[in-house]
Amino acid sequence: MKSVTFRQLRVFTEVARHLSFSRAAESLHLTPPAVTMQVKELESHVGLPLFERQGRQVQLTMGGEYFLVYAKRLMSTLKDAENVMARFKRVETGVLTIGLLSTAGYFLPSLLARFRAEHPGVDVRLDVTRDLTKLLDRLHSNEIDLAVMGRPPREYALRSEPFAGHPMVFVCPPGHPLLSVGHPPIEALVHYPLIARELGSEVRHALDNYLREHRLAPRVAMEIPSNETVKASIMAGLGIGFLSLHAVAAELRGGQLQIIEFEDTPVMRTWNLVHEASKVLSPAAEAFRYLMLEHGDALIAEQASQLLAAKPTTLPSDPTASGRV
């Protein structure tokens, strides 16, 4: 396999990631025939088929699954070497890939805009997922340089640096009975259905801890793996919700949702900037890390304080309430 090229390995790992030649071609900005040719050349060097093709369905062969492990290691080592050389040259160009959980997408663009203004030579790419396990896997395989998430699991060899507070709040639609009480007792929560994020999500973990600390067991009416669907369900009057303050910013400003000021809320967690403990960061990644650690907390805290202090916009009255159509 001495003739295998890193270009072939890159194409192979992309096809393996998407399990699609056409989607890999889009990701790599190549034509599908070019991707097919690279894979065929790699298979000839390896001496084994790496993919099974049945129509449009693509699957890794057993040999392909084993080879993928080593291909990722080689690609990761090459990326580390590039980062080290870039540090010697002190170059802030190239591609910076940032992984993030979907909730972070509500505030990260404003920080990215500032970063791009200060470092126009860096091409920033975002890798967004709702699945923490996938995000950690991409960190481990060196597919992303840095990740924005809550506190990562301790069993991973990661360097985690908190950079900002992460407030989470209970919300309801305007006119909800609990809003008539300035600071309703938390025990009142058990009298209303609760719409929650799915088990395993960071928001759900924070909610379960809060309820455990207050010895409450309200009825969870719905579990939904999407912030947007949770918000839509709350606005439809299906129950009270618990979400990141960042996720409900637009709805709070527009008056479609309002915060219920229960005891010991907002529930505070932290946002963390995470990377592999053994990874050498590129100059671009170091510049982004500096921005987040130095300015992230102030920018995000300012946004949060405005949301918590703002009064909701008055919504148009319902014409059907007075019998008008």
Side-chain angles (χ1 to χ4, degrees):
M1 292 192 290
K2 292 181 179 180
S3 300
V4 171
T5 67
F6 278 103
R7 179 180 176 84
Q8 292 165 355
L9 293 177
R10 174 64 173 151
V11 170
F12 165 69
T13 55
E14 278 298 302
V15 176
R17 177 183 177 185
H18 296 287
L19 292 179
S20 166
F21 281 73
S22 59
R23 290 178 61 189
E26 291 177 7
S27 175
L28 295 166
H29 304 291
L30 297 172
T31 64
V35 169
T36 300
M37 181 185 69
Q38 292 291 327
V39 171
K40 285 184 176 179
E41 289 181 357
L42 178 60
E43 288 177 327
S44 68
H45 293 314
V46 174
L48 291 169
L50 300 175
F51 295 102
E52 292 178 353
R53 307 168 182 81
Q54 295 182 350
R56 295 185 178 181
Q57 298 295 318
V58 178
Q59 295 292 332
L60 283 163
T61 63
M62 183 175 293
E65 290 179 355
Y66 276 92
F67 188 74
L68 180 61
V69 173
Y70 295 99
K72 285 185 174 181
R73 287 182 187 176
L74 289 167
M75 296 298 296
S76 177
T77 300
L78 178 63
K79 188 171 185 179
D80 283 344
E82 290 175 345
N83 289 342
V84 171
M85 294 302 102
R87 287 172 70 91
F88 277 115
K89 293 185 289 185
R90 301 186 65 83
V91 175
E92 288 187 17
T93 58
V95 178
L96 173 63
T97 306
I98 302 168
L100 62 147
L101 294 176
S102 54
T103 303
Y106 292 101
F107 67 82
L108 194 61
S110 59
L111 288 165
L112 284 177
R114 177 167 178 169
F115 178 79
R116 288 291 300 274
E118 295 177 1
H119 307 278
V122 179
D123 181 12
V124 181
R125 298 178 183 176
L126 295 182
D127 189 332
V128 186
T129 180
R130 291 199 294 260
D131 191 329
L132 177 60
T133 301
K134 288 183 179 178
L135 186 58
L136 292 169
D137 287 343
R138 290 169 190 170
L139 265 178
H140 182 64
S141 62
N142 215 6
E143 295 177 51
I144 57 180
D145 299 296
L146 295 163
V148 177
M149 65 175 78
R151 184 174 299 174
R154 294 180 179 177
E155 60 268 23
Y156 288 81
L158 299 170
R159 181 182 181 185
S160 176
E161 298 175 288
F163 67 87
H166 183 188
M168 301 182 192
V169 294
F170 288 94
V171 291
C172 65
H176 194 281
L178 285 174
L179 295 175
S180 62
V181 183
H183 295 277
I186 186 58
E187 292 77 15
L189 186 61
V190 301
H191 301 300
Y192 299 93
L194 188 61
I195 300 173
R197 282 291 305 267
E198 76 284 10
L199 289 170
S201 67
E202 183 180 1
V203 176
R204 181 58 179 273
H205 182 67
L207 172 63
D208 289 345
N209 282 346
Y210 177 82
L211 296 176
R212 192 179 305 113
E213 290 170 2
H214 290 82
R215 300 181 180 180
L216 293 175
R219 179 172 67 90
V220 177
M222 302 173 71
E223 293 182 348
I224 303 173
S226 162
N227 285 336
E228 299 306 313
T229 309
V230 169
K231 290 188 289 185
S233 301
I234 300 167
M235 288 187 286
L238 297 178
I240 293 171
F242 182 80
L243 286 167
S244 166
L245 181 62
H246 309 304
V248 294
E251 290 75 18
L252 291 175
R253 293 190 183 101
Q256 295 101 330
L257 292 175
Q258 292 183 235
I259 295 173
I260 308 172
E261 297 181 353
F262 283 125
E263 178 185 359
D264 297 329
T265 62
V267 177
M268 293 301 299
R269 293 293 184 268
T270 59
W271 285 113
N272 291 267
L273 197 62
V274 181
H275 63 86
E276 284 279 312
S278 59
K279 181 180 178 64
V280 178
L281 296 179
S282 67
E286 281 286 12
F288 183 76
R289 172 179 169 271
Y290 174 82
L291 171 70
M292 298 294 279
L293 296 180
E294 291 297 315
H295 305 290
D297 187 38
L299 291 172
I300 295 173
E302 182 181 358
Q303 294 175 1
S305 64
Q306 291 173 355
L307 291 171
L308 292 170
K311 294 185 179 298
T313 303
T314 301
L315 291 177
S317 59
D318 184 352
T320 62
S322 59
R324 292 173 293 160
V325 179

